[in-house]
Amino acid sequence: MFKSFLIKYAEIGVKGKNRYLFEDALVRQIRIALKRCEGEFKVHKTQGRIYIEVLSEYDYEDTVEQIKTVFGIVGICPVVHVEDEGFEKLCEEVIAYIKKVHPEGNQTFKVLARRARKNYPLESMEINRELGGVILNAFPNMKVDVHDPQIVLHIEIREKIYIYSKVIPGPGGMPIGTAGNAMLLLSGGIDSPVAGYMIAKRGVQIDAVYFHAPPYTSERAKEKVVDLAKLVSVYTGPIRLNIINFTDIQLYIYEQCPHEELTIIMRRYMMKIAERIAIESDCIGLITGESIAQVASQTLHSLMATNEVCTLPVYRPLIGFDKQEIVEISHKINTYETSILPFEDCCTIFVAKHPVTKPSLKMIKLHEKDLEEKIDDLVETAISTREILLCKK
Ligand code: ATP
Ligand code: MG
C-alpha cells in the first residue's frame, strides 16, 4: 500500500550552512540500513526533504524496523501514491485511505495540502476546505481541529498525489559520521553496549576495544562481546573491535600489587591501552559504561584514580543512571539477552574480597612502581598482538 516514506528530521534542520552535510550523512545511513531489507529502494533529497522510494515488492514491517535504527530521524511517514485523475477521484482515494489507516474514524483532524505542481486546478486552501468537508460527511464522528489535531492529513500534489498522515517515531539524535570518532571500552556486561549506543546517537562513529584474559576468560566470553558489537552496529554502523590479550598484564599486577587495589590498577592499564589504540585509530575520545557508585571501582574516588591516566576526554553517558534505567535501554536496543549470558569477564576473575572504595592516588602510584620492570614491554606486546575484527549485521 505504501510506495514511499517521507523522513522527518528535526535537529539537523537547524545547522545553517552545514545542513547539507548532515542531510547527506543521514541519506548515507538510511541506505546502509536499507541494505538489511529485502527489496529495492531509492533514497533521495528533494526540496529540503528526504524520501525513500520503494521500487519493488518489500516487507513493510521489516523496512520500518530497519529505518527506525537510523539516528537523526524523528519521524517516518509512510506515503500512499495515487494518480491524478481529477478531484472527485482524489476524494474517493482519501476516504479509502482513512478507512485503512485510521479505522477508528473518531479522531480530530485537519487537511494540509501542498501544491508542488502549480497547474493543479485547486489552490491549497481550497483543497483543504473541500476535502475537509468530504471527510466530515464520510466519517460523522471525526471533527476538524486546526490547532491541535490528532491527525494531520497531508496531501501533496506532485506528478502523482502523495497522501500521508501517520508518523512513526524515529530514534532521534544525529546521523552517524557527523561528530568524529570515539573508542568504546566494550565488555560483555549490560552497561557498555548501552553507553556506546548513547554516544553514537549523537552522531559519533564508534570503534571498540575488549580486554580478555585467556584461559581465565573463555572463547565464549569473547564471542559474546563480538555478538554485542554486532548488535550495537545495527545503530552505529560497522564497528572495528580491537581484542587485547590482557592476561600477562593482569597476572603481573596480581603478583606485584596489593590485592585490594587490583581492580583500580587494572582499570588504569585498560584506560591507558584504550587511549593508545584510540589515538592510533583517529579517535578523539573514550567511552565507558561507568555509573557513579555502581561498584567499588566506580565511586567518585575510584573514577578519579582511573581517569587520571587519560589525556583524551572520557565520555560516561550512564554516569547518573540507575541500573534499572540502563537495563530498560538495553532491552530497547536488543542487547540485554546477550549481555546477561553467564560468561565470566576478565575483571571478575581477579577481584579482591575487599576492594578499596576510596583509593589514594598517592598509594596507587607508589604501588605501580613495583610494575616498572616489565610493564612497558607487556603493554607494547598486548597492543602489537591485538586482533582486530570488523563487526556488522
Ligand atoms: P559493564 O556492564 O559495561 O560490563 P560493569 O558494571 O560490569 O560494566 P565494570 O566491570 O566496573 O562495570 O566496568 C566499567 C566499564 O569499564 C565498563 O562499562 C566498560 O566500559 C569498561 N570495561 C570493563 N571491563 C572491560 C573489558 N574486559 N574490556 C573492555 N572494557 C571493559
Ligand atoms: Mg563488566
Side-chain angles (χ1 to χ4, degrees), residues 188 220 224 227 336-344:
R220 297 287 299 278
K224 173 179 161 182
D227 288 344
Y336 180 78
E337 297 299 333
T338 305
S339 287
I340 59 168
L341 293 174
F343 309 121
E344 69 297 335

Side-chain angles (χ1 to χ4, degrees), residues 182-183 273-286 312:
M183 181 67 69
I273 293 173
E275 177 162 292
R276 279 275 304 274
I277 301 175
I279 291 168
E280 268 182 40
S281 318
D282 288 326
C283 291
I284 52 173
L286 301 176
L312 287 179

Side-chain angles (χ1 to χ4, degrees), residues 353-368:
K353 275 218 178 72
H354 300 289
V356 281
T357 53
K358 283 192 185 175
S360 137
L361 199 50
K362 213 170 117 195
M363 295 310 283
I364 298 268
K365 284 187 167 176
L366 184 71
H367 294 137
E368 282 181 354

Side-chain angles (χ1 to χ4, degrees), residues 140-302:
N141 294 328
M142 288 182 73
K143 278 200 198 76
V144 173
D145 178 347
V146 288
H147 299 296
D148 188 22
Q150 290 166 302
I151 300 172
V152 180
L153 186 74
H154 294 264
I155 306 291
E156 278 191 25
I157 312 287
R158 303 169 161 260
E159 219 26 64
K160 290 188 177 178
I161 299 174
Y162 287 13
I163 308 172
Y164 64 91
S165 57
K166 225 161 102 125
V167 188
I168 301 162
M174 308 288 269
I176 297 284
T178 55
N181 295 20
M183 181 67 69
L184 169 66
L185 283 87
L186 182 62
S187 68
I190 294 172
D191 305 332
S192 43
V194 173
Y197 168 88
M198 289 185 64
I199 295 296
K201 182 165 181 242
R202 300 303 304 163
V204 176
Q205 179 126 23
I206 303 274
D207 283 19
V209 54
Y210 166 60
F211 297 89
H212 76 149
Y216 303 96
T217 61
S218 63
E219 198 60 19
R220 297 287 299 278
K222 175 174 135 186
E223 289 303 317
K224 173 179 161 182
V225 174
V226 172
D227 288 344
L228 284 171
K230 285 183 183 167
L231 289 170
V232 175
S233 81
V234 168
Y235 299 92
T236 62
I239 294 179
R240 261 165 57 99
L241 175 64
N242 296 269
I243 301 172
I244 298 269
N245 187 327
F246 204 49
T247 312
D248 291 344
I249 294 175
Q250 261 183 316
L251 287 173
Y252 189 48
I253 299 172
Y254 193 71
E255 277 164 27
Q256 301 291 321
C257 300
H259 287 186
E260 63 275 13
E261 287 175 358
L262 275 184
T263 310
I264 297 291
I265 296 177
M266 255 164 42
R267 294 200 46 73
R268 281 164 61 88
Y269 277 95
M270 279 189 187
M271 298 302 269
K272 267 189 206 175
I273 293 173
E275 177 162 292
R276 279 275 304 274
I277 301 175
I279 291 168
E280 268 182 40
S281 318
D282 288 326
C283 291
I284 52 173
L286 301 176
I287 306 164
T288 73
E290 289 158 315
S291 139
I292 293 174
Q294 199 187 76
V295 287
S297 59
Q298 297 177 25
T299 63
L300 280 193
H301 293 81
S302 299

